[in-house]
Amino acid sequence: MSRQMKLGAFLMATGHHVAAWRHADVPANAGLDFAHYKRLAQIAEAAKFDALFVADSVAAPTHDIASRMARSDHFEPLTLLSALSAVTEHIGLIATATTSYNEPYHVARKFASLDHLSGGRAGWNLVTSDNAAEALNFGRDEHIGHAERYSRAREFHQVVTGLWDSWEDDAFVRDKASGAYYQPEKLHVLDHVGEHFRVKGPLNVARSPQGQPVIIQAGSSETGRELAAQTAEVVFTAQSSLASAQAFYADLKGRLLRYGRSADSLKIMPGVFVVVGRTEAEAQEKCEAFQQLVEPEVGVALLGRMLGNFDLSKYPLDGPLPKLPLTQSGQQSRQTLLTELAGREHLSLAELGRKIAGGRGHYSLVGTPGQIADQLQEWFEQGAADGFNLLVPHLPGGLEDFANGVVPELQRRGLFRTEYEGRTLRQNLGLARPKNRFA
Ligand SMILES: Cc1cc2nc3c(=O)[nH]c(=O)nc-3n(C[C@H](O)[C@H](O)[C@H](O)COP(=O)(O)O)c2cc1C
């Protein structure tokens, strides 16, 4: 069978458009509405998406404009995905958890549990936190700096994956007749002592169906790429053009060799923001309906956050993007992308805020199913992507539009599955089941 693309449904409560919650078709309370998420999961699973993807931040925004944005209340991702695991059968469940404000034992245990609950569908989006406000909830005055966050993340990953290997696959015999619950020689105590963590182990969860949940990573700076090359199995990235996506793809795949990994062992899935219409004009109209609802101050507040936690409220809305220092608390890669975009298109602050109000700088496609499929096919076939993490303006409508329009078109072209290949997220993504390092 020829190579097929992977698809993630990046769920964001009311949708990715910053003004989506104000649209008539969108339930404004979506962030804490389980029936809403259940419907989204079932739409995505019926369309054979590889996974649901849930981003996270362990802080609620408190700036002046926050009260005009739907970002302040939503489910915790692992809790949400655990509930969704009970109402789905095939789709992967990817939750974001930060290495900066967690302990590795907690993270290892929760994801192993989700993997058991779901029969092998769990994925961990390993992030270092791009929201400076999180620090204040964890006994600190300031966010941990960029380099330090990645140093902690590298060791955090070692500990989590080590804990996941605490037990060999067949360690638990639970033999009522002999009285042996597990085989002691198949237990491996991690005994990790490092710069950031001291963790004895073992994990109090048996090795999970996938051996280890899938590791996803979403950081694209130099340090982020290096960590991804070493540890990630899926990379989610924001790319603004085919050329930049191709360069990123070649760079990251090239780095794998140094870690003895094959190009296939890491799937690169850029985000893509999609607005689908029956005609191009209808798609543009849909897009405009959301854009009309963006207040300039809201667009700029989102922009400041995406540039790396800057307060831009003191700058004139119709002035240019001010020169900002390299962010130490946010995403350096996104800061570069957005700064280049502002320069290339000569956008004022308000215009740039409006421009990214839907896709946040991710590649944006507005058109018919055929036009959108053409673009996705081009990226997929021209060395820019192994698949895509899909952002839609509003939920559930935007996901339904994609599932009903674009998915059948991709399937007709042989570019996307019509049935799940396997039972686990790894099998569907075409990723090997990791061997236990101790066995
Ligand atoms: C596409 C993308 C999505 C991300 N999603 C999250 C997220 O949900 N939560 C979070 O704390 N950080 C998120 N991050 C931040 C990164 O994971 C990373 O840990 C950090 O901000 C540094 O990014 P950088 O390597 O691009 O500088 C995301 C980054 C990218 C590029």
Side-chain angles (χ1 to χ4, degrees), residues 204-281:
N204 54 359
V205 183
R207 201 155 192 266
S208 73
Q210 296 187 98
Q212 298 183 0
V214 177
I215 303 283
I216 294 88
Q217 221 200 277
S220 300
S221 62
E222 169 62 31
T223 333
R225 292 179 193 207
E226 205 54 32
L227 180 65
Q230 205 177 345
T231 63
E233 301 179 279
V234 175
V235 164
F236 172 37
T237 178
Q239 299 296 331
S240 61
S241 68
L242 175 62
S244 75
Q246 286 168 324
F248 179 82
Y249 189 95
D251 175 274
L252 192 49
K253 296 265 178 175
R255 292 177 195 235
L256 294 174
L257 284 176
R258 274 191 275 122
Y259 296 102
R261 302 181 60 189
S262 72
D264 247 16
S265 66
L266 183 147
K267 310 292 175 192
I268 299 179
M269 296 174 62
V272 52
F273 176 74
V274 171
V275 185
V276 190
R278 280 168 301 183
T279 61
E280 196 179 331

Side-chain angles (χ1 to χ4, degrees), residues 312-336:
L312 302 177
S313 62
K314 56 183 180 290
Y315 298 100
L317 288 167
D318 56 0
L321 179 67
K323 276 221 167 348
L324 300 168
L326 181 67
T327 178
Q328 291 307 315
S329 64
Q331 299 176 27
Q332 294 183 352
S333 55
R334 193 76 60 103
Q335 185 182 27
T336 307

Side-chain angles (χ1 to χ4, degrees), residues 50 64 107 159 234 245 350 438:
D50 289 81
D64 290 349
V107 167
V159 176
V234 175
F438 301 114

Side-chain angles (χ1 to χ4, degrees), residues 10 12 53-58 96-100 125-131 134 143 146 149-150 153 217-225 227 235-239 269-271 305-306 327 329-335 362 389:
F10 182 173
M12 179 78 87
F53 179 96
V54 183
D56 197 35
S57 176
V58 279
T96 297
T98 177
T99 54
S100 295
N125 180 35
L126 180 167
V127 300
T128 70
S129 287
D130 59 10
N131 183 354
E134 295 182 14
H143 196 18
H146 195 267
R149 293 209 305 278
Y150 272 117
Q217 221 200 277
S220 300
S221 62
E222 169 62 31
T223 333
R225 292 179 193 207
L227 180 65
V235 164
F236 172 37
T237 178
Q239 299 296 331
M269 296 174 62
R305 165 85 170 83
M306 297 312 299
T327 178
S329 64
Q331 299 176 27
Q332 294 183 352
S333 55
R334 193 76 60 103
Q335 185 182 27
H362 286 278
N389 209 7

Side-chain angles (χ1 to χ4, degrees), residues 17-99:
H17 198 285
V18 73
W21 72 274
R22 300 179 62 199
H23 192 279
D25 296 346
V26 176
N29 65 337
L32 291 172
D33 179 352
F34 182 67
H36 170 74
Y37 278 103
K38 181 176 168 186
R39 182 164 167 211
L40 302 180
Q42 291 173 342
I43 295 166
E45 185 165 78
K48 317 290 181 210
F49 271 75
D50 289 81
L52 305 175
F53 179 96
V54 183
D56 197 35
S57 176
V58 279
T62 54
H63 54 75
D64 290 349
I65 307 297
S67 66
R68 309 193 64 77
M69 303 165 88
R71 296 277 171 249
S72 305
D73 65 336
H74 51 80
F75 286 121
E76 186 285 314
L78 274 153
T79 314
L80 172 64
L81 292 179
S82 298
L84 289 175
S85 76
V87 295
T88 52
E89 282 179 38
H90 302 284
I91 197 158
L93 305 165
I94 300 174
T96 297
T98 177
T99 54

